[in-house]
Amino acid sequence: MLPVVVSGFKHQHSACCGGGRSKGQIICLPLLPLECHNRSQYVFWDPYHPTDAFNAIVAKGAFQGTLQAAHPMNVQQLVET
Ligand SMILES: *[C@@H]1O[C@H](CO)[C@@H](O)[C@H](O)[C@H]1NC(C)=O
Protein backbone atom coordinates (compact mmCIF):
# COMPACT_ATOMS: atom_id res chain seq x y z
CA MET A 1 0.00 0.00 0.00
CA LEU A 2 1.34 3.38 -0.96
CA PRO A 3 1.76 5.89 1.84
CA VAL A 4 -0.93 8.13 0.43
CA VAL A 5 -2.99 10.22 2.80
CA VAL A 6 -6.58 9.27 2.21
CA SER A 7 -8.81 12.17 3.02
CA GLY A 8 -11.84 13.73 1.45
CA PHE A 9 -13.44 10.40 0.64
CA LYS A 10 -16.82 9.75 2.19
CA HIS A 11 -16.35 5.97 1.87
CA GLN A 12 -12.90 4.65 2.71
CA HIS A 13 -13.82 1.28 4.15
CA SER A 14 -16.36 -0.06 1.70
CA ALA A 15 -16.35 -0.54 -2.07
CA CYS A 16 -18.66 1.09 -4.60
CA CYS A 17 -19.68 -2.18 -6.26
CA GLY A 18 -19.50 -5.69 -4.91
CA GLY A 19 -21.05 -7.98 -2.36
CA GLY A 20 -20.54 -9.29 1.15
CA ARG A 21 -19.07 -7.42 4.10
CA SER A 22 -18.10 -3.87 3.08
CA LYS A 23 -18.73 -5.05 -0.53
CA GLY A 24 -15.29 -6.55 -0.34
CA GLN A 25 -16.04 -10.26 -0.56
CA ILE A 26 -17.76 -10.69 -3.94
CA ILE A 27 -16.63 -9.04 -7.18
CA CYS A 28 -18.80 -6.48 -8.92
CA LEU A 29 -21.35 -8.41 -10.99
CA PRO A 30 -24.14 -7.08 -13.23
CA LEU A 31 -26.70 -8.89 -11.08
CA LEU A 32 -25.67 -7.00 -7.96
CA PRO A 33 -27.51 -3.75 -7.24
CA LEU A 34 -25.29 -0.70 -7.79
CA GLU A 35 -26.17 1.23 -4.67
CA CYS A 36 -23.23 3.53 -5.02
CA HIS A 37 -24.46 6.74 -6.62
CA ASN A 38 -21.21 8.65 -6.78
CA ARG A 39 -18.05 6.59 -7.29
CA SER A 40 -15.88 9.68 -6.72
CA GLN A 41 -16.70 9.44 -3.02
CA TYR A 42 -15.18 5.95 -2.74
CA VAL A 43 -11.57 4.80 -2.45
CA PHE A 44 -12.42 1.33 -3.80
CA TRP A 45 -14.45 0.59 -6.92
CA ASP A 46 -14.70 -3.13 -6.15
CA PRO A 47 -12.88 -5.54 -3.79
CA TYR A 48 -9.68 -5.23 -5.84
CA HIS A 49 -9.54 -1.95 -7.72
CA PRO A 50 -9.28 1.65 -6.57
CA THR A 51 -11.60 4.21 -8.16
CA ASP A 52 -10.46 6.75 -10.75
CA ALA A 53 -10.69 9.42 -8.05
CA PHE A 54 -8.22 7.56 -5.83
CA ASN A 55 -5.97 6.63 -8.78
CA ALA A 56 -5.69 10.32 -9.62
CA ILE A 57 -4.35 11.05 -6.11
CA VAL A 58 -1.83 8.19 -6.34
CA ALA A 59 -0.71 9.33 -9.80
CA LYS A 60 -0.27 12.90 -8.61
CA GLY A 61 1.75 11.65 -5.64
CA ALA A 62 4.01 9.58 -7.91
CA PHE A 63 4.48 12.47 -10.33
CA GLN A 64 5.02 15.42 -8.04
CA GLY A 65 4.69 14.12 -4.49
CA THR A 66 7.10 14.41 -1.58
CA LEU A 67 9.59 11.70 -0.56
CA GLN A 68 6.82 10.13 1.49
CA ALA A 69 4.87 9.33 -1.70
CA ALA A 70 7.74 8.79 -4.15
CA HIS A 71 11.20 7.64 -3.07
CA PRO A 72 14.02 8.42 -3.82
CA MET A 73 12.50 10.95 -6.24
CA ASN A 74 9.21 11.62 -7.97
CA VAL A 75 8.66 11.21 -11.72
CA GLN A 76 8.94 14.92 -12.37
CA GLN A 77 12.36 15.05 -10.68
CA LEU A 78 13.41 11.91 -12.55
CA VAL A 79 12.57 13.53 -15.88
CA GLU A 80 14.50 16.66 -14.96
CA THR A 81 17.73 14.79 -14.06
C1 LIG B 1 -19.60 13.28 -6.52
O1 LIG B 1 -18.70 13.47 -5.46
C2 LIG B 1 -17.68 14.42 -5.73
C3 LIG B 1 -16.70 14.40 -4.55
O2 LIG B 1 -17.38 14.55 -3.34
C4 LIG B 1 -18.32 15.78 -5.96
O3 LIG B 1 -17.32 16.73 -6.27
C5 LIG B 1 -19.30 15.69 -7.14
O4 LIG B 1 -19.98 16.91 -7.28
C6 LIG B 1 -20.31 14.57 -6.88
N1 LIG B 1 -21.13 14.39 -8.06
C7 LIG B 1 -22.45 14.32 -8.01
C8 LIG B 1 -23.14 14.07 -9.32
O5 LIG B 1 -23.08 14.45 -6.96
Side-chain angles (χ1 to χ4, degrees):
M1 187 69 194
L2 290 167
V4 171
V5 176
V6 180
S7 64
F9 288 92
K10 198 172 173 184
H11 306 277
Q12 299 175 19
H13 304 289
S14 66
C16 182
C17 184
R21 191 163 55 94
S22 301
K23 297 185 188 172
Q25 296 176 306
I26 301 170
I27 60 168
C28 183
L29 298 168
L31 56 92
L32 293 173
L34 188 59
E35 292 161 358
C36 153
H37 298 294
N38 188 345
R39 62 188 69 182
S40 297
Q41 296 177 338
Y42 287 75
V43 171
F44 290 99
W45 161 247
D46 66 9
Y48 308 107
H49 303 101
T51 56
D52 285 358
F54 185 71
N55 278 336
I57 292 172
V58 174
K60 192 175 179 187
F63 188 76
Q64 57 185 185
T66 62
L67 280 176
Q68 200 182 7
H71 187 271
M73 64 182 76
N74 62 37
V75 175
Q76 190 169 37
Q77 291 163 334
L78 182 64
V79 169
E80 289 168 356
T81 56

